Amino acid sequence: MVERPRKRFRVLRPVIDFILQPTQEGELRRRVLFWVPAPLPLLGLVYLLVGGTFSAPGWTILLAASVGVASLLLATVVQPTPLPEGLAPPVSARRSLHRFRQFTQLRLALALAPMVIGACAAIIGGGMYPLFAALLLAWPQLLLAMPTFFTITRARRAMEAWGTTAYLWHALSRPAKVTWPIATPLARSFRAWRTERARRLAQQKIQDQEQDKAWKDAVETERANPTEPTRPVVEDDGDKAQDGTLQRTRKLRALPEDDADNEPTALIPHLEQARDESVKDEPTEERAKKGEAEKGASAESAENEVTPSPTGPGATVGRAARQILDQGGALGLGVRNRRRGHAGRRPPSHKP
């Protein structure tokens, strides 16, 4: 017994084919059908904001109704502009399709504008009546924007007002991809992000595998060429580890104690010795020049010095200066005692 194949959505198949028609006409139809359920979320949002109240001031209802009537009149009266004369059939088809798209988008904007104005008036007035009035006048305009036979025929006649044939039906029958206004770009971007993420994950996985392989190769190489003999690892309690093939790392040798760099620093030599050594290291000519310069400086200083007399106050000053210089610049106790009047000898007499 042959079982008859099941046909799913057999009743809805014509409607689905009508909506998902892969032509330019089907694309414009999908643009309009995408905005048909848009007032429902807007209605629920405004209902929550106003708290479920229906009554509102009269001027808000009048405002929403007037905007809805104006948009309905514009959508009924406005038609596409005529095509210029002398166009070739391909150019005429392309331009007619472009103008019909603009005409459809204009009708969609005229239908959605009263809904937004009615929602704002309802929120300001605190009631739902302004939004109801706007939806009552604007929702049917979406059906006027639908590319039906009547709408397409009227638009074609308006384009042919100057005598140029508009190949609008031919342009609308061209193939086109099945897309939706907002959902298709979002889905495309999501798929691109998912593909890029899968590529990055695969690349990261390959890198991890390569690192693991390189690590295993390094371990195998180390085991094949050990630097030290293999010894089992002993734990703290004296038991041997289960794996006795582990290797210890090579120990670093300490620096030798007799290294010259590790010796303590010698004391600084005496300044006189350092001076003698520097003098010895200098050339003979430079030492002769320095000696002459020092002799000249000592002679000048001797001329400038006042020779103390063996008697009188000058002798005491000279002796004090010599003691100060001999003792490194410090004033001796003997000098200080003499200044206080405790001299060691009797001062000379000044009698004639």
Side-chain angles (χ1 to χ4, degrees):
M1 181 178 179
V2 179
E3 186 178 357
R4 183 178 179 181
R6 297 179 181 180
K7 295 182 178 179
R8 298 180 180 179
F9 308 107
R10 183 168 53 185
V11 179
L12 300 178
R13 181 57 58 184
V15 180
I16 295 175
D17 294 340
F18 178 75
I19 295 175
L20 301 180
Q21 187 178 1
T23 57
Q24 297 291 340
E25 181 183 358
E27 181 184 358
L28 294 176
R29 190 181 297 114
R30 285 186 292 274
R31 286 187 180 182
V32 177
L33 291 176
F34 180 81
W35 296 103
V36 168
L40 297 178
L42 183 63
L43 187 64
L45 180 61
V46 174
Y47 183 80
L48 293 176
L49 291 176
V50 300
T53 307
F54 290 94
S55 61
W59 67 270
T60 58
I61 302 174
L62 182 62
L63 175 63
S66 60
V67 173
V69 171
S71 63
L72 181 60
L73 292 176
L74 288 174
T76 306
V77 173
V78 174
Q79 294 295 329
T81 56
L83 295 174
E85 300 179 359
L87 295 178
V91 180
S92 176
R94 184 170 62 253
R95 289 196 177 185
S96 60
L97 178 61
H98 178 67
R99 295 192 179 188
F100 189 74
R101 284 179 177 175
Q102 291 181 343
F103 175 66
T104 304
Q105 293 176 0
L106 176 62
R107 283 193 169 181
L108 283 175
L110 291 175
L112 295 175
M115 298 180 187
V116 178
I117 299 299
C120 295
I123 294 173
I124 293 173
M128 295 293 296
Y129 283 145
L131 182 58
F132 288 156
L135 292 178
L136 183 63
L137 294 171
W139 213 333
Q141 297 183 31
L142 295 175
L143 301 178
L144 294 177
M146 189 78 67
T148 58
F149 177 81
F150 175 76
T151 307
I152 295 173
T153 302
R154 192 175 179 183
R156 181 182 61 83
R157 290 177 180 176
M159 293 178 190
E160 294 178 350
W162 291 354
T164 304
T165 304
Y167 298 90
L168 183 59
W169 285 104
H170 174 71
L172 291 174
S173 62
R174 291 180 180 178
K177 294 181 179 180
V178 180
T179 58
W180 295 90
I182 298 178
T184 300
L186 291 178
R188 187 182 296 112
S189 61
F190 176 74
R191 286 194 297 268
W193 172 79
R194 187 173 57 183
T195 303
E196 182 66 19
R197 179 172 174 270
R199 187 186 64 81
R200 289 199 306 267
L201 291 177
Q203 187 176 2
Q204 185 67 23
K205 185 178 180 180
I206 293 173
Q207 292 179 0
D208 294 342
Q209 291 177 357
E210 291 179 354
Q211 291 180 0
D212 294 343
K213 185 178 179 181
W215 177 259
K216 291 180 181 179
D217 294 343
V219 171
E220 294 295 335
T221 305
E222 186 68 19
R223 288 180 179 178
N225 303 321
T227 56
E228 292 184 0
T230 305
R231 291 179 297 178
V233 180
V234 181
E235 297 181 354
D236 296 338
D237 55 354
D239 298 336
K240 293 185 177 180
Q242 297 178 0
D243 188 4
T245 60
L246 298 178
Q247 299 177 4
R248 295 182 180 273
T249 56
R250 186 171 54 187
K251 296 182 179 180
L252 296 177
R253 296 182 178 179
L255 295 175
E257 298 181 358
D258 55 351
D259 192 356
D261 297 336
N262 296 330
E263 294 180 358
T265 307
L267 298 177
I268 300 176
H270 198 270
L271 297 178
E272 297 295 335
Q273 298 178 2
R275 181 179 179 183
D276 296 341
E277 292 178 357
S278 61
V279 170
K280 292 178 182 180
D281 295 339
E282 291 181 355
T284 308
E285 299 179 358
E286 295 181 359
R287 280 186 289 176
K289 292 180 180 179
K290 286 186 177 181
E292 294 177 359
E294 290 178 357
K295 289 181 181 180
S298 61
E300 293 178 1
S301 61
E303 293 177 0
N304 295 331
E305 287 182 354
V306 178
T307 304
S309 60
T311 60
T316 305
V317 175
R319 287 195 301 271
R322 284 195 299 273
Q323 290 184 4
I324 291 172
L325 295 176
D326 294 341
Q327 297 179 5
L331 193 62
L333 293 176
V335 177
R336 290 199 294 269
N337 292 334
R338 294 190 188 97
R339 288 184 179 180
R340 292 175 185 174
H342 299 283
R345 63 184 182 83
R346 185 177 180 179
S349 177
H350 298 284
K351 294 180 181 181

